[in-house]
Amino acid sequence: MAASFELGVFFQVWPSSPFPSRPFSRPFLSSHACRAAASSSGGDPEALQPERTVVRFGLPSKGRMADETLSLLKNCQLSVRQVNPRQYVADIPQGNEDLIVVHDTLEYGACRLSLAIPKYGIFENINSLHELAQMPQWTTERPLRIVTGFSYLGPKFLKEKGLEYVSFSTADGALEAAPAMGIADAIIDLVSSGMTLRENDLKEIEGGVVLASQAVFVASKRSLNTREGVLEITHEILERLEAHLRATGQVTVVANMRGNSAKEVAERILSQTSLSGLQGPTLSPVYCKRDGKVVADYYAIVVCVPQKSLYKSVQQLRSIGGSGVLVSDLTYIFEEETPRWRKLLSQLGL
């Protein structure tokens, strides 16, 4: 019987520095997925794959997505080391029906699959998919020509939108050049910033987005349910990701403030809109020795604020008597428990 194999470059992944949590009990593998088909005859496909004692991770193989994925993992103390860039290994994939989404918004790799047309010529005043469909130029003999690498999603999308006279072709390389070369009237391709489209005098139109996506963390439902230790490791990875993403864009502000009591200082701080922090400021007395006695005339304030509001927060601190303001970046903000973990357990029936 035929078996579908997946080729990949495999990496060892492990924490790169001490972390205030249980260390991984074993390394886990990461694959830069490049799919290929292979066939074998006879036997059970499951028997072709030996029992693994590691967890395999699938990562983008190149480009911006790969760079940002490796950067995110590194920031979570999950460094990736490529032992041999030419090492390829085949394994049998579990299939899409086995996949379960562990984290759906990793906040990078955002892009959209979009229809784009020229800004010039007969398309100059066309700004929506409806207007494009109503153009009299498209007939059975002269359909709207679209070039795309997404030969299933593209035709499916335009059929659902009711475009009648359309023909599709595929091409390798920079699709943005196709309209200018006369090869196509429009393209359907992945768009991130839109800069490449603008540089080639192309534009997106209203209603022309096929789908939008961003990087997500998915796992094998079967492995989570049956393989020892996989669920525990997934929990830790999810916690690290959640804590790091929660800390992104946040900074810790520390300052000293004179006051008669912690409550009096807290009241002054909470009167300022930018100083409420996550649950509120943390205060502790600052002790000094004066006239042979230990006294606490000042209180140290620790508060978490959005980086975009940093200067406003510093100004507000100064306005109520804050001094000696220190600012530091945050790497993690751990909550009591991430809701995504509870959701995952529910999806697994646990």
Side-chain angles (χ1 to χ4, degrees):
M1 62 182 291
S4 175
F5 287 81
E6 182 171 86
L7 300 182
V9 184
F10 284 52
F11 301 108
Q12 295 283 353
V13 183
W14 61 93
S16 62
S17 63
F19 192 81
S21 174
R22 177 199 58 76
F24 287 115
S25 58
R26 50 175 168 263
F28 53 93
L29 288 180
S30 167
S31 72
H32 276 216
C34 300
R35 294 190 178 180
S39 62
S40 61
S41 59
D44 183 356
E46 294 294 329
L48 299 176
Q49 181 172 324
E51 180 67 24
R52 289 186 288 111
T53 59
V54 294
V55 175
R56 183 174 290 124
F57 227 104
L59 305 177
S61 60
K62 60 183 179 180
R64 181 173 58 87
M65 279 289 290
D67 294 340
E68 292 182 357
T69 298
L70 296 178
S71 176
L72 174 64
L73 291 175
K74 183 178 180 180
N75 287 335
C76 294
Q77 276 70 58
L78 298 172
S79 292
V80 175
R81 183 180 68 184
Q82 184 175 359
V83 179
N84 182 350
R86 297 186 179 275
Q87 178 183 0
Y88 293 92
V89 180
D91 75 297
I92 302 174
Q94 309 239 359
N96 289 338
E97 69 280 356
D98 182 55
L99 296 181
I100 188 170
V101 178
V102 180
H103 198 298
D104 59 348
T105 52
L106 294 179
E107 299 181 10
Y108 74 96
C111 65
R112 56 197 176 275
L113 182 60
S114 192
L115 174 70
I117 61 175
K119 297 179 180 178
Y120 48 84
I122 60 173
F123 301 102
E124 184 175 359
N125 297 316
I126 302 299
N127 297 302
S128 71
L129 189 63
H130 175 73
E131 292 173 349
L132 181 66
Q134 296 301 311
M135 292 178 68
Q137 285 86 348
W138 319 131
T139 65
T140 303
E141 293 76 23
R142 175 59 173 92
L144 173 67
R145 300 169 302 157
I146 297 179
V147 62
T148 183
F150 297 85
S151 56
Y152 171 74
L153 290 175
K156 179 177 181 291
F157 172 74
L158 291 187
K159 183 178 180 181
E160 291 173 350
K161 295 298 182 179
L163 273 76
E164 186 174 357
Y165 305 113
V166 186
S167 67
F168 284 88
S169 62
T170 58
D172 295 325
L175 302 186
E176 294 83 4
M181 296 173 64
I183 299 173
D185 300 303
I187 68 171
I188 292 180
D189 202 9
L190 291 176
V191 180
S192 180
S193 67
M195 182 178 296
T196 304
L197 293 182
R198 292 190 293 272
E199 289 177 345
N200 287 275
D201 286 329
L202 299 178
K203 62 183 178 182
E204 296 177 87
I205 56 177
E206 181 183 346
V209 176
V210 180
L211 58 84
S213 69
Q214 65 170 306
V216 299
F217 175 25
V218 298
S220 162
K221 185 184 297 184
R222 182 170 61 181
S223 292
L224 291 173
N225 273 321
T226 62
R227 291 190 54 214
E228 182 183 357
V230 173
L231 186 62
E232 182 185 13
I233 290 174
T234 301
H235 186 196
E236 182 168 342
I237 295 171
L238 178 60
E239 290 270 32
R240 293 183 186 223
L241 290 171
E242 283 276 79
H244 177 66
L245 292 172
R246 194 176 293 116
T248 301
Q250 301 284 331
V251 293
T252 300
V253 175
V254 181
N256 288 338
M257 187 177 296
R258 184 184 290 274
N260 297 319
S261 68
K263 182 179 180 181
E264 184 260 325
V265 172
E267 287 175 348
R268 271 191 280 159
I269 295 171
L270 293 174
S271 69
Q272 305 299 313
T273 57
S274 296
L275 301 177
S276 58
L278 297 176
Q279 284 87 30
T282 300
L283 280 76
S284 56
V286 177
Y287 294 99
C288 64
K289 198 168 184 178
R290 187 171 64 248
D291 299 329
K293 296 181 179 180
V294 175
V295 295
D297 294 332
Y298 283 84
Y299 288 85
I301 305 156
V302 181
V303 65
C304 179
V305 302
Q307 192 167 27
K308 62 183 180 182
S309 304
L310 174 60
Y311 187 63
K312 179 180 179 181
S313 300
V314 172
Q315 286 180 310
Q316 290 187 350
L317 268 174
R318 288 170 173 169
S319 71
I320 59 175
S323 62
V325 181
L326 304 177
V327 180
S328 58
D329 291 329
L330 282 170
T331 303
Y332 299 98
I333 299 177
F334 283 95
E335 297 288 356
E336 185 175 353
E337 184 181 19
T338 168
R340 283 188 172 86
W341 174 244
R342 294 194 297 270
K343 180 180 178 181
L344 177 63
L345 294 180
S346 175
Q347 290 176 305
L348 295 172
L350 300 175

